[in-house]
């Protein structure tokens, strides 16, 4: 694969390459680069041209395709001017362009030799054989004299050259830098703290306290070399490429659906009908066989009854014949003696007949078809759709904010908690609160295990009402957006739903085993207990599956985690563990200076919070289970904390203290400013971005 890369002016272009009426706008920040590739005989130039024209204009992150000419393949592109002023960046951009070119066009790079030949006489590059499409296209040493950049600048005044020649037009760039809030003012400043552009009016109304307002010229300086420019360019290219693949996939899907095999389905239906007929024949044969068996069985019963009757009929007939003979031919004395002799025998046979008669039945075998033939067959079957998840193979690019001057005394915000109120929880008959939940409108739901009910409080600590359940509630989880919550009842091995709008109890459903802790993970409900099992239930209360968590110990507290995971407290090992819904462990953390863990929750940033019941404190961890700090301790009125929950905006933290008296503590989340160096701040941001990607 031979290719030339050179800057082009109009009088050097082949006449056939461009339409005559096209001209180029004189943009001093843009250079125009021509790619002339020798086309081997095994290349399908038409398909290559079509692939390049259908691909997004940005290729290789730096070059915009303007025109593709078929012959010896000629590609006209434009790129930022700084590429020709920095040889290293230019070489990297060329390499990226060719890698994308090979991928987009689907070229077979096995046994292909790629040579680079540069038009400038001072640049010499050795050829490299490419053995695999996954190898770097350029991994050889590049021998470049150090005078390349300076000589290019001295011998070629690119800005002047482009001002003197007309080339392919891209139109005139027109960009309004007007504030959307204050249409008469321009965006002349960049606020680093809020990561946004602003005008003079914005500064007065919204950024008067911001200490890092940078003029737009300083913030945008060298933006062409910034990471955000590369990231956005790459993101646009990746998204466009992913969209093209996804659209192509759907086109193929539509084509496949339109051309489904009718004949095959008809043949399968016919075969199925034949099977049904055969099955009907089998059922008919079975009915005949059953009828025969039934006939033989009933015939045996009737024969048995007949034999019993014959045993009576024979002596009765004999006595009747004797009486008739004596009546005709005997004397009166003989008849009188005979009647008295038969009197006792007749009475005995009469009793036998009375015993047999109730057992006699009139038997008849008939066939009774269903009243409606529809009841015989509800359906012959159905056509079903088999679908698989489309694999987009798209990874979220890392986006970093625009570069802006960072001061050595930059200000970062962190969260502290200040006690807002302390409410005693008491009801007639006593209370023992085991857990706390919060509704979408920030009403607090307290599981009163002793009272068998759920106590409802406002976020200001005012008791509203209660909801009596069918059993003693231990833990509660709220189904956000559905006006519904669900509580565990360990003594009954069940869960019960609650209407959080009316606070009326709903249906109760059994759980296969221990059920203490509960959490809602996306559209599933997870229930855990002392046996180390997770029971997955749908939102209607139906059991889906049971997951055995290896080395789980006792699962006492649950909280939903990111990406279909769940955090749980293992009270046997005093650790917090994150597992997915198949029971596979993501990480495990055993805290120090934290005794008898009683709760785990997260804030909007994904940080975890653990309550130490016996150590009287609450720790904060990163989303990956790394210790950050202790946010509350005994000095903040912590005394046997058993559960906690954030308000929906995470500005308030509610903690249950279960000592001799049960208190609900509410803490306001406030921000405290502290200083750190720019290096530490940048390192923290990079680590946070990496963690988010992972």
């Amino acid at each position: 694969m031979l290719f030339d890369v050179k800057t082009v002016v109009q009088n050097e272009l082949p006449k056939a390459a461009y339409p005559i009426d096209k001209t180029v706008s004189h943009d001093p920040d843009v250079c125009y680069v021509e790619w002339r590739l020798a086309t081997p005989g095994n290349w399908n130039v038409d398909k290559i041209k079509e692939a390049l024209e259908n691909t997004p204009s940005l290729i290789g992150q730096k070059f915009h395709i303007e025109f593709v000419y078929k012959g010896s393949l000629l590609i006209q592109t434009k790129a930022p001017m700084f590429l020709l002023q920095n040889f290293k960046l230019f070489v990297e951009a060329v390499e990226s362009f060719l890698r994308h070119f090979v991928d987009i066009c689907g070229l077979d790079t096995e046994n292909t030799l790629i040579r680079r030949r540069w038009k400038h006489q001072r640049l010499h590059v050795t050829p490299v054989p490419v053995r695999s499409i996954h190898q770097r296209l350029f991994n050889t040493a590049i021998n470049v004299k150090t005078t390349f950049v300076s000589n290019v600048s001295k011998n070629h005044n690119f800005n002047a050259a482009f001002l003197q020649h007309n080339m392919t037009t891209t139109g005139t760039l027109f960009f309004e830098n007007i504030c959307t809030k204050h249409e008469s003012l321009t965006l002349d400043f960049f606020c680093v703290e809020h990561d946004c552009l602003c005008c003079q009016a914005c500064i007065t109304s919204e950024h008067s306290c911001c200490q890092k307002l940078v003029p737009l010229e300083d913030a945008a300086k060298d933006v062409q070399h910034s990471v955000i420019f590369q990231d956005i360019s790459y993101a646009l290219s990746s998204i466009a490429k992913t969209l093209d693949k996804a659209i192509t996939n759907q086109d193929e899907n539509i084509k496949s659906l339109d051309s489904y095999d009718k004949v095959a389905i008809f043949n399968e239906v016919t075969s199925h009908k034949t099977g049904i007929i055969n099955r009907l024949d089998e059922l008919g044969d079975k009915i005949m066989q059953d009828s025969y068996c039934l006939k033989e069985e009933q015939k045996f019963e009737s024969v048995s009854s007949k034999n019993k009757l014959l045993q009576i009929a024979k002596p009765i007939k004999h006595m009747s014949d004797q009486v008739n003979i004596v009546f005709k031919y005997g004397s009166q004395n003989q008849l009188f003696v005979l009647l008295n002799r038969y009197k006792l025998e007749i009475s005995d046979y009469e009793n036998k007949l009375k015993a047999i008669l109730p057992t006699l039945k009139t038997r008849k075998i008939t066939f009774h078809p269903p009243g409606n033939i529809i009841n015989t067959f509800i359906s012959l079957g159905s056509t079903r759709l088999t679908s698989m998840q489309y694999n987009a193979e798209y990874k979220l690019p890392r986006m970093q904010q625009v570069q802006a001057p960072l001061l050595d005394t930059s200000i970062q915000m962190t969260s502290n908690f200040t006690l807002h109120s302390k409410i005693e929880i008491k009801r007639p008959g006593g209370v023992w609160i085991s857990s706390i939940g919060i509704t979408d409108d920030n009403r607090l739901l307290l599981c009163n295990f002793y009272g068998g009910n759920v106590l409802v409080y406002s976020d200001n600590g005012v008791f509203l009402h209660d909801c009596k359940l069918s059993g003693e509630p231990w833990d509660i989880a709220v189904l956000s957006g559905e006006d519904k919550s669900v509580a565990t009842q360990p003594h009954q091995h069940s869960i019960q739903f609650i209407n959080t709008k009316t606070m009326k109890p709903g249906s109760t459903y059994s759980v296969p085993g221990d059920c203490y802790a509960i959490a809602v993970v996306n559209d599933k409900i997870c229930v855990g207990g002392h046996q180390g099992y997770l029971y997955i239930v749908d939102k209607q209360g139906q059991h889906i599956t049971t997951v055995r968590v290896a080395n789980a110990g006792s699962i006492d507290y649950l909280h939903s985690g990111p990406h279909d995971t769940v955090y749980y407290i293992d009270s046997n090992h005093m650790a917090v563990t994150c597992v997915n819904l198949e029971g596979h462990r993501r990480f495990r953390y055993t805290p120090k200076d934290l005794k008898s863990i009683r709760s785990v929750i997260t804030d909007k940033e994904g940080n975890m919070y653990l309550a130490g019941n016996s150590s009287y404190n609450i720790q904060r961890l990163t989303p990956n289970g790394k210790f950050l700090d202790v946010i509350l301790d005994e000095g903040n009125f912590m005394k046997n904390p058993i559960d906690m929950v954030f308000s929906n905006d995470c500005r308030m933290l509610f903690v249950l203290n279960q000592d001799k008296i049960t208190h609900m503590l509410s803490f306001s989340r406030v921000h405290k400013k502290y200083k750190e160096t720019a290096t530490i701040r940048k390192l923290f941001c990079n680590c946070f971005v990496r963690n988010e990607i992972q």
Side-chain angles (χ1 to χ4, degrees):
M1 179 169 157
L2 299 174
F3 63 92
D4 299 338
V5 182
K6 66 176 181 179
T7 57
V8 182
V9 294
Q10 188 178 23
N11 59 6
E12 296 177 344
L13 298 177
K15 292 183 179 180
Y18 293 96
I20 297 175
D21 59 343
K22 291 239 175 181
T23 57
V24 174
S25 60
H26 304 302
D27 188 345
D29 294 326
V30 175
C31 70
Y32 293 82
V33 181
E34 172 187 282
W35 306 73
R36 188 187 301 274
L37 285 79
T39 55
N42 61 342
W43 282 17
N44 189 329
V45 182
D46 290 332
K47 288 188 177 181
I48 292 176
K49 183 174 184 295
E50 181 181 357
L52 292 174
E53 289 176 343
N54 291 334
T55 199
S57 60
L58 185 66
I59 181 172
Q61 301 188 39
K62 296 295 186 296
F63 294 95
H64 290 262
I65 296 178
E66 297 292 314
F67 187 82
V68 181
Y69 175 73
K70 185 178 70 174
S72 287
L73 196 61
L74 181 69
I75 307 172
Q76 303 293 348
T77 63
K78 70 175 182 179
M81 175 61 71
F82 72 84
L83 285 181
L84 278 89
Q85 298 170 349
N86 186 318
F87 174 68
K88 182 178 179 181
L89 289 177
F90 186 59
V91 171
E92 291 176 352
V94 170
E95 293 175 353
S96 178
F97 180 94
L98 289 176
R99 282 196 299 272
H100 284 76
F101 171 80
V102 170
D103 291 339
I104 291 171
C105 299
L107 299 180
D108 181 10
T109 59
E110 294 294 333
N111 304 319
T112 299
L113 185 68
I114 297 182
R115 297 185 177 89
R116 294 182 293 183
R117 183 169 42 138
W118 305 82
K119 282 295 183 181
H120 199 281
Q121 62 180 354
R122 297 183 182 275
L123 179 61
H124 306 282
V125 183
T126 58
V128 181
V130 177
R131 296 179 177 84
S132 170
I133 195 170
H134 300 293
Q135 291 178 319
R136 291 181 57 86
L137 293 179
F138 301 98
N139 53 8
T140 186
I142 300 177
N143 301 315
V144 183
K145 293 187 177 181
T146 57
T147 57
F148 170 72
V149 176
S150 61
N151 285 326
V152 168
S153 301
K154 179 172 67 177
N155 297 334
H156 300 277
N157 187 336
F158 292 110
N159 292 346
F162 289 123
L163 288 173
Q164 294 173 4
H165 299 278
N166 290 329
M167 296 155 60
T168 304
T169 182
T170 59
T172 303
L173 180 64
F174 180 72
F175 183 75
E176 288 189 356
N177 189 25
I178 305 299
C179 180
T180 57
K181 298 180 180 179
H182 310 94
E183 296 183 358
S184 61
L185 299 177
T186 58
L187 299 168
D188 297 326
F189 296 91
F190 180 78
C191 178
V192 178
E193 293 185 18
H194 293 91
D195 189 23
C196 66
L197 294 166
C198 51
C199 66
Q200 189 63 50
C202 293
I203 295 176
T204 304
S205 60
E206 300 177 8
H207 302 275
S208 58
C209 297
C210 297
Q211 301 184 15
K212 291 175 61 180
L213 286 167
V214 182
L216 183 60
E217 292 78 7
D218 294 340
K221 185 177 181 182
D222 296 330
V223 69
Q224 298 94 333
H225 305 282
S226 66
V227 175
I228 191 174
F229 177 78
Q230 298 180 10
D231 288 347
I232 290 179
S233 299
Y234 176 73
L236 291 173
S237 176
S238 298
I239 293 172
K241 185 175 180 180
T242 302
L243 286 171
D244 287 342
K245 289 183 178 180
I247 292 171
T248 301
N249 172 267
Q250 294 306 302
D251 287 339
E252 294 174 353
N253 202 13
I254 293 170
K255 184 178 179 181
S256 175
L257 292 172
D258 286 337
S259 60
Y260 77 99
D261 196 341
K262 300 179 183 177
V263 175
I265 293 178
F266 177 79
N267 291 336
E268 290 176 2
V269 170
T270 302
S271 175
H272 187 53
K273 288 167 61 179
T274 303
I276 291 175
I277 293 172
N278 293 335
R279 177 58 178 165
L280 289 175
D281 292 339
E282 292 176 0
L283 292 175
D285 293 341
K286 185 175 186 302
I287 290 174
M288 298 305 297
Q289 183 179 0
D290 291 344
S291 299
Y292 176 79
C293 294
L294 181 62
K295 182 262 296 185
E296 291 296 321
E297 177 185 351
Q298 297 303 315
K299 180 180 177 181
F300 176 81
E301 293 290 335
S302 295
V303 169
S304 177
S305 298
K306 177 184 175 181
N307 291 333
K308 292 179 181 179
L309 293 172
L310 289 174
Q311 290 176 2
I312 299 173
K314 187 175 181 180
I316 291 296
K317 184 177 183 305
H318 174 73
M319 286 189 289
S320 178
D321 292 342
Q322 290 296 318
V323 169
N324 288 333
I325 292 173
V326 173
F327 175 77
K328 290 180 179 181
Y329 305 107
S331 65
Q332 293 185 357
N333 290 340
Q334 289 176 328
L335 181 60
F336 181 78
V337 171
L338 183 62
L339 292 177
N340 280 278
R341 183 189 300 172
Y342 286 164
K343 180 172 63 176
L344 295 177
E345 292 183 31
I346 292 173
S347 177
D348 183 47
Y349 285 122
E350 185 181 18
N351 290 333
K352 289 181 179 180
L353 181 60
K354 287 181 179 179
I356 294 173
L357 288 177
T359 64
L360 300 179
K361 294 180 181 178
T362 301
R363 294 174 170 89
K364 184 179 181 180
I365 297 176
T366 57
F367 173 67
H368 295 274
N372 189 341
I373 195 170
I374 296 177
N375 296 332
T376 304
F377 292 105
I378 300 301
S379 172
L380 285 177
S382 63
T383 54
R384 297 182 181 180
L385 174 65
T386 301
S387 62
M388 298 176 61
Q389 180 65 42
Y390 170 65
N391 184 10
E393 296 181 354
Y394 175 72
K395 295 182 178 179
L396 184 67
R398 180 180 66 182
M399 292 292 186
Q400 297 184 5
Q401 66 183 37
V402 67
Q403 83 291 342
L406 293 177
L407 305 176
D408 289 340
T409 58
S410 61
I411 298 175
Q412 179 71 15
M413 309 299 289
T414 186
S415 298
N416 280 1
F417 296 85
T418 301
L419 182 65
H420 180 266
S421 63
K422 182 178 181 181
I423 307 297
E424 181 180 351
I425 306 299
K426 56 182 180 179
R427 301 300 302 158
V431 297
W432 195 88
I433 308 299
S434 54
S435 66
I436 183 174
I438 192 165
T439 64
D440 292 341
D441 55 358
N442 286 326
R443 284 175 296 146
L444 299 168
L445 309 178
L446 281 63
C447 291
N448 182 16
F449 192 74
Y450 281 174
N453 57 358
V454 174
L455 308 180
V456 185
Y457 281 77
S458 71
D459 55 356
N460 293 325
V462 178
F463 174 76
L464 302 176
H465 44 78
D466 65 356
C467 176
K468 185 69 175 179
L469 301 184
S470 60
E472 298 83 359
W474 179 267
D475 196 8
I476 192 167
V478 175
L479 283 71
S480 181
E482 299 191 25
D483 291 332
K484 189 162 60 174
S485 63
V486 57
T488 57
Q489 300 173 143
H491 287 178
Q492 289 75 27
H493 292 283
S494 65
I495 59 175
Q496 185 169 8
F497 287 92
I498 302 170
N499 186 322
T500 54
K501 187 174 183 179
T502 62
M503 289 313 299
K504 300 295 184 183
S507 301
T508 301
Y509 298 91
S510 298
V511 178
D514 270 351
C515 56
Y516 284 86
I518 192 168
V520 178
V521 180
N522 290 336
D523 59 344
K524 297 181 179 65
I525 299 173
C526 298
V527 182
H530 295 163
Q531 299 171 349
Y533 287 95
L534 281 178
Y535 305 104
I536 311 300
V537 180
D538 63 21
K539 289 186 177 181
Q540 287 69 46
Q542 300 302 319
H543 177 250
I544 300 175
T545 185
T546 298
V547 178
R548 178 69 172 94
V549 182
N551 302 318
S554 179
I555 299 177
D556 287 337
Y557 294 88
L558 286 170
H559 186 77
S560 62
H563 311 301
D564 282 342
T565 60
V566 63
Y567 300 112
Y568 72 87
I569 299 298
D570 181 352
S571 59
N572 290 353
H573 302 92
M574 282 298 113
V576 59
T577 306
C578 179
V579 296
N580 61 19
L581 296 189
E582 287 74 41
H584 300 146
R585 181 187 297 180
R586 295 293 177 84
F587 68 81
R588 186 180 185 89
Y589 171 75
T590 302
K592 297 180 180 179
D593 303 324
L594 198 65
K595 299 177 182 179
S596 300
I597 311 175
R598 286 292 182 269
S599 180
V600 53
I601 61 172
T602 58
D603 58 17
K604 287 188 175 181
E605 290 77 29
N607 296 319
M608 288 190 297
Y609 297 76
L610 304 178
N613 181 262
S614 300
S615 53
Y616 301 167
N617 59 357
I618 297 176
Q619 288 186 4
R620 174 165 45 191
L621 314 177
T622 67
N624 291 332
K626 305 296 183 182
F627 173 80
L628 286 177
D629 54 5
V630 176
I631 63 166
L632 297 170
D633 55 19
E634 198 169 0
N636 304 103
F637 304 99
M638 287 293 101
K639 190 69 176 295
N640 299 120
I642 60 168
D643 202 5
M644 53 188 172
V645 67
F646 272 114
S647 61
N648 289 291
D649 58 6
C650 286
R651 294 184 178 179
M652 297 291 292
L653 175 65
F654 302 94
V655 182
L656 276 175
N657 271 3
Q658 188 74 282
D659 197 19
K660 295 180 180 179
I661 299 176
T662 302
H663 288 95
M664 180 172 62
L665 309 179
S666 62
F667 295 88
S668 300
R669 193 176 186 183
V670 297
H671 294 287
K672 177 184 178 182
K673 296 183 178 181
Y674 65 91
K675 296 181 179 180
E676 61 178 3
T677 64
T679 302
I680 295 177
R681 179 172 182 261
K682 185 175 181 180
L683 178 61
F684 173 80
C685 292
N686 290 338
C687 291
F688 180 78
V689 170
R690 284 197 296 270
N691 287 336
E692 286 296 304
I693 293 175
Q694 293 173 357

